[in-house]
Amino acid sequence: MINLITMFGYYLKRIILWVFRMGYSRGFGVQSPSAYSFLRYVVNEHYPYYEYQKLKNESGNVNPLITKLSRLYFRMANFCQSEYWYDYKAENDVYQRYVVSGCKSTSFVSFTEVDEIDTFQIARISLFGDYEKVYDHLAKIANNNSILIIENIKRDKITRCFWKQVVEDSRTFVTYDLYYCGVIFFDSNKCKCNYKVNF
């Protein structure tokens, strides 16, 4: 059973973050139509997908943050409709369950050796292990349709610094700081911009 102190800490942190980021909710103040649509209908979509309850029952008692991120990945998979979802250092099988439910035609590929990947439409990495090498390789092979999700961007000073470097990287164009993770679009047709979002 989930530790009650952990759950209390999660919800207290959520309230504090919501207060500090309440001006960045649901696409508020975003001028770009594509960015607004992504924020409104993917990141902060509150529609109760019928699969959510089924997936929650299958996953059992998990940390509320994992459930929150899993639902985001469900929506991201549905949004991308990609053949493959590449995942580096997945800490559980919950993500896989949500991703393949979000898009039935998507294959979830867990990897540790990034050199095996020569193209991708969507990938997720955690900032553990050799994440700098993984990010650099994915950024090199990214195309205008590539999307990268980076978890743990605010874990500590080192990961905050790394996220700042990603935002400033000339290979990235539109980035979204969701606090618990960052989402990167490599579409060179877009103006370079970073959005801080209350997710």
Side-chain angles (χ1 to χ4, degrees), residues 102-162:
C103 181
K104 305 294 185 191
S105 61
T106 296
S107 295
F108 188 94
V109 180
S110 182
F111 72 93
T112 54
E113 294 300 322
V114 72
D115 298 335
E116 299 169 4
I117 301 170
D118 56 10
T119 186
F120 74 99
Q121 185 177 347
I122 187 163
R124 186 202 71 91
I125 67 174
S126 287
L127 298 186
F128 295 104
D130 201 3
Y131 64 84
E132 290 178 320
K133 176 189 173 185
V134 173
Y135 165 76
D136 189 57
H137 178 78
L138 292 175
K140 279 179 184 173
I141 65 170
N143 57 54
N144 282 0
N145 296 316
S146 298
I147 301 171
L148 178 62
I149 302 163
I150 302 181
E151 260 187 46
N152 314 115
I153 61 171
K154 305 288 186 179
R155 187 180 68 220
D156 53 38
K157 187 177 180 180
I158 294 171
T159 58
R160 285 188 184 96
C161 182
F162 176 74

Side-chain angles (χ1 to χ4, degrees), residues 16-65:
I16 293 168
L17 284 173
W18 187 88
V19 170
F20 280 105
R21 291 187 169 214
M22 65 184 174
Y24 304 103
S25 298
R26 297 172 74 87
F28 178 80
V30 174
Q31 302 300 317
S32 164
S34 60
Y36 175 84
S37 179
F38 177 70
L39 290 174
R40 179 67 181 84
Y41 299 110
V42 180
V43 174
N44 280 321
E45 172 60 80
H46 296 307
Y47 179 79
Y49 288 95
Y50 69 94
E51 289 280 340
Y52 281 177
Q53 190 57 50
K54 177 188 167 200
L55 289 163
K56 185 177 180 182
N57 293 340
E58 289 176 356
S59 301
N61 288 328
V62 297
N63 186 303
L65 178 57

